[in-house]
Amino acid sequence: MVQETTGLKSALSVPGIYDFVQNALGARRARRVVADEFLRANAGDFLLDVGCGTGEMLEHLPAGIRYLGLDLSESYITSARSRFGERARFECVDVNQAAGLEVGNVDLALAFGLLHHLDDHEVVALLVTLKGLVKPGGRVVTIDPTIFTGQSSVAAFVARQDRGRNVRSPEGYTALASGVFAQVRPVVRNDLLRIPYSHCIIEMTP
């Protein structure tokens, strides 16, 4: 994982500060759009959220969903359990340890803001793992900041300041996904935050 955690960016490791900054920028809208337009989850679905952070995606998912959130940050997982532990399960483990958690037959797998923290080999390894966990007909959804020609200069500048050091073009994300999944549907959105910012959302089906 390639992530910058020096200076002011180190403060984002604190759950309360991370949530405050994210929500001040408008991340609730981004999560709602991903939930409503791309995940399209139903009660009873099993959703695996890789890199779940503090679990705030749960606010936008239907009651009755079976949710497992994974993150490598113990402080994020502790925060998620304190807020959502009664309706979801959170584990501080790498997704490659999911087999030990008896995870399988996943309807939906989500990686929200994760791929741009990983190098190409790590992205492919993650997608291969998720492909093996989703059941036939299941889907994987990812969302990450993106940079592309013709983009707002402000949006490009902000994306380059991200803690994740592997912000890619839409074509870059798509190429990695296409090497693993049979069907890959990328969408670029420029309207999910309160500031100029571009996201690449990809829906994948084995």
Side-chain angles (χ1 to χ4, degrees):
M1 176 177 287
V2 180
Q3 177 172 285
E4 186 176 342
T5 57
T6 59
L8 292 175
K9 293 176 183 178
S10 64
L12 295 176
S13 298
V14 179
I17 295 175
Y18 173 79
D19 287 340
F20 175 82
V21 172
Q22 289 285 307
N23 292 329
L25 293 174
R28 283 191 178 92
R29 169 170 166 73
R31 289 189 288 267
R32 184 171 65 251
V33 168
V34 169
D36 293 347
E37 299 183 19
F38 295 91
L39 288 175
R40 305 183 298 277
N42 298 305
D45 283 347
F46 179 19
L47 189 150
L48 174 64
D49 189 353
V50 182
C52 65
T54 57
E56 290 208 339
M57 177 57 76
L58 267 168
E59 293 184 345
H60 308 281
L61 298 174
I65 194 166
R66 295 178 295 142
Y67 176 100
L68 172 60
L70 307 181
D71 203 283
L72 295 179
S73 168
E74 291 186 9
S75 59
Y76 284 176
I77 289 297
T78 298
S79 177
R81 286 172 175 165
S82 69
R83 296 180 60 194
F84 304 109
E86 292 185 358
R87 59 173 294 203
R89 180 183 177 191
F90 298 93
E91 299 290 347
C92 186
V93 298
D94 186 277
V95 68
N96 291 313
Q97 297 175 288
L101 301 175
E102 299 182 356
V103 177
N105 292 319
V106 173
D107 294 288
L108 298 162
L110 171 66
F112 195 115
L114 179 58
L115 301 191
H116 70 289
H117 291 277
L118 308 177
D119 65 29
D120 288 357
H121 294 294
E122 290 171 324
V123 169
V124 171
L126 170 64
L127 296 181
V128 168
T129 296
L130 295 181
K131 181 180 179 181
L133 293 175
V134 296
K135 68 183 185 182
R139 293 178 291 114
V140 175
V141 175
T142 64
I143 174 172
D144 288 274
T146 189
I147 298 175
F148 53 89
T149 302
Q151 178 184 30
S152 157
S153 59
V154 176
F157 172 80
V158 174
R160 291 190 178 98
Q161 309 314 305
D162 196 281
R163 288 187 297 168
R165 306 315 299 159
N166 285 310
V167 177
R168 301 171 175 85
S169 67
E171 293 79 12
Y173 290 117
T174 302
L176 293 173
S178 296
V180 178
F181 287 89
Q183 297 183 45
V184 176
R185 293 172 289 278
V187 174
V188 173
R189 294 288 295 261
N190 301 298
D191 61 340
L192 300 186
L193 297 184
R194 296 192 178 104
I195 60 173
Y197 203 83
S198 301
H199 290 91
C200 180
I201 307 172
I202 304 182
E203 189 174 348
M204 309 166 219
T205 307

